[in-house]
Every structure is written in C-alpha cells, then in structure tokens.
Amino acid sequence: MSLIEAFTTRQLRILDTLIPNPHQLSPENLRRARLLVGILFYAFTLNILLIAVRYQNTGWSTATINALFSQFIYLGLLLTYKLSKNLNLISDAAIALALVSISITIYSDGGLTSRATYWLPVFPLVSQSIAYHMKAGVTVSLIISLLFSTYLLHGEGILHQAENQQVLFARALTLTMATLFVAIVSVIYDNGRKALEKQLTIEKENAEQAFKLKSEFLATMSHELRTPFNGVLGMLELLSNSQLSDQQQHRVHLAKSSAQSLLMLINDILDFSKIEAGKQDIEAIDFDAQMLFGDIAEAMAYQASSKNIEIVLDTHQLQQPSFKGDPNRIRQITTNLISNAIKFTKVGTVLVTVESQPDANGSTLQVSVQDSGIGIPKEKLDILFQSFTQVDASTSRKYGGSGLGLAIAKRLCQLMGGDIQVTSKEGIGSTFSFTVSLNNPDHAADDHTHEKITGNIVIVDDNPIALSTIKNQLSADCHHITALTQADEALTHLTNNPDNALIFIDMNMPTTNGIELIKAIQNNQTPIKGKLILMSDISNLDGNTLLQEMGVSLNIPKPITHKDLKKALALTQTSLLENTEQPANKPDQIPTDLTLYKSEIHILVVDDNPINLEVAAALLDSFDIQPVLASSAHEAFKILSSHPKKDFIHGIIMDCQMPTMDGFEATQAIRNGLAGNSYINIPIIALTANAMKGDKERCLAAGMNDYLTKPINIDKLVTVIHSIVIPGIEPKH
Ligand code: ADP
C-alpha cells in the first residue's frame, strides 16, 4: 500500500467514527457521508486557525465572532447528523447554509451589482471538476503551497488591511481555498475508496484462488489416497480369510489395523477439509433415534468390553421415536465422543444420554457422553475443539489420534444448527454434550406401544449407573420396579416377593455372578416366579441353548437398548412378540445372507485399475456372487453386447474415473441403449474415490442407481446389492 493510500485509509477510519452506522450504508451513500463529514470536519479544523489569526489581528471583532459562529454551525451539523442519522437532511442543510453564506457574501460585496455574482455560483462546479480530475499528489502539493502562501500573505500584512483591492484579493483567495478544500477532500475520499476497493478485490481474488486450489487438491488427494487403499485393505481382508499360520495371521491382523488407522486419519483430514471448503452435505432423512443410538452403543461395546468398561445407554427422555435429519453425521459425532471416552478411561462406565425437546421447527436433540476417565485440565478446555489440538503432546504417542475428531464434531454440530460443549474434572472424568436441530419425520415410526405391565420387575446389577438407567427406561411401562445391586440381597428380596413378571440379572457381578444367581433362584426353597433375563457381555453371547435349559427366557447383550427392553417386555405379552421381533423400520440393518441366490448373481465390475478389479472380484466371490470383469467402458460394452440376454448380468459396479470414457459417460450410453435394449434399466452402482459434496448427485444425474466410495466397505457393498440388484432378480427354484 502506498503512503497516500495508507494515509487516506487511516483518515477514513477516523472519519467513519463520525458517521452513524457506516456499515448499514450503501457504498454510494457511504461515499457521500464521508465527503460531507470530511468537509465539515476539515472546515471545523481549519476554522480554528482562522479564528486564531483573526483574533490575533483584530481581537474580538465582527470577523472573529463570525468565524466563531461558523464553528458552531459546523459542529451543530456534525452533531445533528450523528443524532438524526439522516444523511439527506444534513446534506440539504449544508448546501442551504453554503447558499446563505454565498448570498451574504454577495450582499456585503455590493448586492446584485457585485462581481461576485458571476464567479460565486461557479464555486460548486469547479470544486466538483477538480475533485474529479485532480491527482492526490498534486492536491497535497497545492494545499501545502496554499497554506504556505497564506502564511506569507499574513506575514506581509496583506490579508488584514482593509483596502478595497486587498479585501477583494483576500476574498478571492479565501474562496479559492474553500474551492480547493472541497476538491481535496473529494480527492482524498475518492482515493480512499479506490484503495479500499482495490484491496478488497485483491483479497477476494486471492481467496477465490486459494479456495479453488484447495478444492482441487482435495479432490485429487481423495482419489489418489483412497485408490491404493482399496487394494491394501481388500487384499489384507482376503489374506486374513485364507489359510495362515498363527504368526502370519497375527502379522496380517497388525497390518490391517495399521491400514485401518491410516484410513481413519485420511478420512478425518478429508472430512475436515470438506467441511472447511463448505462441501459437506447434510442429509435430511427420516430415522429412528432409538435404533440409531442402540446400534451405535452396540457397535462401540466391543471396543469398551476389551477394556472392561461398560457402556450404558439412556434414551428414556427421547420424546418421540423418529426424526428427520442426518443420522450418519449424528452417528459420526457420537461414535467419536464414545470412542474418546473409552480411550481416555481406565475403569468405570461410559454413560450415553439421549434427550429431545420439541421446539418451533421440530426438536432439539441433546446427546451427552459422560466418562470416568482421566479428565481434562481446566485451561485446556477452550482449545479442545480447535483442529489438530490434543491436551498434551504425549497424548498422541500414548493414545493415538489426530486431534481432529472434536474439531470435526463441532463443525458438524454447527452445520446441523447446534453446538458442542464439555465439562471436565481432572482425575474424575469428562462430559461432552452436543445438540442438533431436527425436523419432524415425514412418516412417523410406529412405536409398538405396550400395555403397561402390572406385575413386578426386579433388576439386579452391581453397576449403579446401569441399574438406575434400566429402571428409568422401564419406568414408563411398569410402576413396580425393584432395583438391587447385590446378588444375595436380590435372593432375599425374591424369596420374600416370589411373584414377579420379569427378573433382569447382570451376568458380570462380583462374588456371585449372574449364572450363579439364576441357579440359586431355580433351587430356592420358595419357588420364585418371573421370566429370567440375563444381561451378558456383548462378546460373550454364546451358549444360548445351555441358558435355555437353565430356564433363562432371554439373553440380551449389554449395553441394553430400547430394542432389547422391548423384546424383554414382549415376553409378558406373547401376542405382541411377533411385532417386537420385527421392528417396522430398520434402516441400518445389514443383510449378509445372500446364500438364497447362491451363484446366480452376475455382477459386471468396470474399473481401469487391475488391483481394484481383483479386489472387487474376490470380495464378490466371497459372497458367492459371480464377478465379470472389464478394464474399460468399451470392454464393458463388448461384454454386454455379446450377451444380450438381461439375465446374464444383473448389475454393474462402475468406476467413475476412467480414461477415454469415464463412468458417467458409460452409464449414459448404457441408459441410451448402446449396450443393447435389455440392459437399458440395469442397476448401476457407482464406485468412486471422491466423497465430495455433489458427487452423489452427479452419479444419480448420470443415471446410476447408487453410490459406493473406495475403499469398498463389504457391509455397504452387500447392502447395496441387496437393495438394488436383488429385487430385479427372480430366484431360480
Ligand atoms: P484425537 O483423535 O486426538 O482423539 P479429538 O479431537 O477427538 O482428537 O480429541 C482431542 C483431544 O482432546 C484428545 O487428544 C484428548 O487430549 C482430549 N480428549 C478428548 N476426549 C477426551 C475425554 N473423554 N477425556 C479426556 N480427554 C479427552
């Protein structure tokens, strides 16, 4: 920035403080306001000089008092503008006062016969013209020389001698100065405006350029990193399913888990950049919240049980079963918080509480994850949600992680109209809570409400958090619940109150475990009535036949979900059993049983990368699906055209980025009948390494039926085949 630009920009900042609400003015009005305020401000400043000179020369003469009076007018106009905020009013008033001043000058100079009548009206025109054409550098030199000559004229005693000729000269000089004054102020503001505009344009261009580069970099990296990963993970998956020695199996396991951590890291970085680039899609679909959080808690339970930590899920404050929003992003945030809670906890419980509050637009969902872990120092709480921050440098060495999870979580919450907070005490534990705004679902899920249970329910669990949560979850269905923490206490209670509807027993209890308590109940002298429900560790669900022989009616895995409790409650109402076993809305269920169609499904995989072709072929093969491989769109057309019967190929997995003809063009060609009429409507699943906003829409717009990202996730592949390819096949009998 040049010196003049810096000078004018600084002046603008000072003068903007005199303008009421400058940010609310249009650029044109802001310019006018700056011009007006600038003229008044400089007139005020220079008038001080005038008063001083006049006072020194003539004392309190009429001229000095006039100048003092002008000072009040300038100040009055500035103050009125600040208070009235009316730019037009003040501009009109300033012009009116200027005209009055011109008229008085003409009058005192001899009335209508005055020569001033010829040149005074030129004053505004000349100022405007100079303001328009004059360069700022010239203006500054002019003002300096004018001030200098005024000083000299005063020094020579010319300005204050009241001789006619000199008076006229003095007036002409004053007016020239005033004219230049307006011009200079105009030029200064014009320069300031231009400087600001130039600066803004440069910044805007830079930002646009950086944004473009970032997006391009992101798309390229996404593709480049994920493509080889498809090969690495796929091959490791296949290797681990083959015959290996224990040592080889162990090595493959280590390689797989390292590859998975690296993939998670890549995904985190991509996610973060996607959000930063504003390319994160937030979906709005109906979902069942009980099912979603039940699935999340169950999925995390394996990780927790390997550290002997119990996850407890409390959803009893959910006011409605389903909502409309983005379940995958909610899953991502919750999974991250639970995973951190498990990671930073040695012993104890991770309590996940889900609540909803109806509001004007639908509901606010609040999810809290409370742990009994190492906690976070108070001074670090503020920085946690910044990217790449961990509580201390040793965290990543000891616990792993990138320090991006919470930053992503915060941005996702904000994208969904909510936020995330944390409270924590070192050595005691932390609670992370987030909120998101959700809409009401288009189709409300059927909650299969039960009739109230009239009998007693007894719950035995040594973990007080789990115990009170299960009690709360059941309280809407039953009013007679007894919660006990010890097996011997439970046995005494049951002996005294032998008539019960349901008895929930925790498997893992100290001194007397669940099985021992069940045996004691069965062998009790006073017969104890009630369906026995064993709550066991998720990794230990085998042996159901044995349990049935022991009289256990139901064996449910911990964490206890809404679905499990419904199953248990249904034991008391056998007529509802069928409904409860088959919940109406099961969006996340992954069908893995494709054996019904064994070897009947043929899927054409089109990908230019030979490793990816091999991986896809092996994955399909492991599900007894027959892969047909093509390394380009042209080869795919050849295969399809040489087998015109639709039954030959049932679906196509199509890579999007391929040389010569990409997946989008190939799909459009198939839809236009280029591969034969019998394949016009064949299911096509896109396979792409990019996971950018708009990719899905692009695939769907090209005529593809669904979308998979690399590296291929087996469960998703099976789900897509199940939902898209299988409905079009007639099973052979
Ligand atoms: P990371 O991938 O490193 O876990 P996060 O953004 O998820 O990244 O977490 C940032 C840091 O916040 C962690 O490294 C850890 O120091 C701290 N932190 C997060 N959750 C917890 C928790 N439940 N208990 C203690 N510290 C936590």
Side-chain angles (χ1 to χ4, degrees), residues 340 343-344 371 376 384 389-391 395 401-403 405-406 430 432:
N340 275 350
K343 194 156 78 169
F344 296 105
D371 65 48
I376 301 157
L384 276 190
T389 45
Q390 295 183 318
V391 165
T395 309
S402 59
L406 290 176
S430 318
F432 284 83

Side-chain angles (χ1 to χ4, degrees), residues 382-596:
D382 290 342
I383 58 155
L384 276 190
F385 298 103
Q386 292 167 13
S387 44
F388 302 106
T389 45
Q390 295 183 318
V391 165
D392 66 69
S394 65
T395 309
S396 65
R397 284 198 300 278
K398 196 164 161 195
Y399 299 99
S402 59
L404 269 179
L406 290 176
I408 294 173
K410 184 166 179 88
R411 282 166 176 77
L412 286 178
C413 288
Q414 287 168 338
L415 282 177
M416 291 189 277
D419 209 347
I420 186 165
Q421 278 109 29
V422 57
T423 53
S424 184
K425 267 209 172 126
E426 259 185 293
I428 309 266
S430 318
T431 305
F432 284 83
S433 328
F434 72 88
T435 52
V436 290
S437 278
L438 298 173
N439 291 326
N440 287 326
D442 293 336
H443 308 286
D446 191 359
D447 198 28
H448 301 293
T449 39
H450 293 272
E451 283 167 29
K452 290 251 179 307
I453 292 177
T454 44
N456 295 324
I457 291 184
V458 177
I459 314 163
V460 193
D461 193 326
D462 64 305
N463 181 339
I465 300 176
L467 189 69
S468 71
T469 303
I470 301 169
K471 188 176 172 191
N472 286 339
Q473 298 269 94
L474 288 170
S475 58
D477 296 286
C478 177
H479 293 309
H480 314 283
I481 304 176
T482 311
L484 301 159
T485 48
Q486 282 168 22
D488 47 355
E489 190 188 7
L491 197 61
T492 319
H493 172 86
L494 289 168
T495 313
N496 296 335
N497 306 277
D499 213 358
N500 297 289
L502 299 171
I503 305 168
F504 288 83
I505 297 171
D506 179 28
M507 173 66 201
N508 291 327
M509 289 190 291
T511 49
T512 313
N513 71 23
I515 301 276
E516 286 163 346
L517 178 59
I518 288 169
K519 279 187 193 157
I521 290 172
Q522 303 293 32
N523 299 330
N524 200 35
Q525 278 191 337
T526 322
I528 295 169
K529 274 203 266 171
K531 305 260 186 206
L532 291 172
I533 297 148
L534 185 67
M535 303 183 287
S536 32
D537 194 287
I538 197 150
S539 54
N540 192 13
L541 268 180
D542 301 336
N544 268 348
T545 349
L546 206 71
L547 289 174
Q548 265 168 16
E549 280 168 15
M550 283 175 64
V552 173
S553 304
L554 191 63
N555 179 17
I556 50 177
K558 275 188 152 189
I560 306 301
T561 62
H562 182 69
K563 181 180 72 186
D564 297 327
L565 291 177
K566 271 167 60 173
K567 263 192 213 167
L569 291 172
L571 290 175
T572 63
Q573 303 168 19
T574 32
S575 60
L576 287 171
L577 193 62
E578 239 172 284
N579 272 347
T580 328
E581 290 295 333
Q582 276 293 319
N585 188 357
K586 252 194 149 182
D588 296 317
Q589 191 186 30
I590 295 161
T592 43
D593 184 19
L594 295 171
T595 45
L596 179 65

Side-chain angles (χ1 to χ4, degrees), residues 96 153-154 256 418 460 489 564 648 686 691 715 724:
L153 287 170
H154 273 294
K256 223 168 99 178
V460 193
E489 190 188 7
D564 297 327
F648 173 64
D715 292 340
I724 292 187

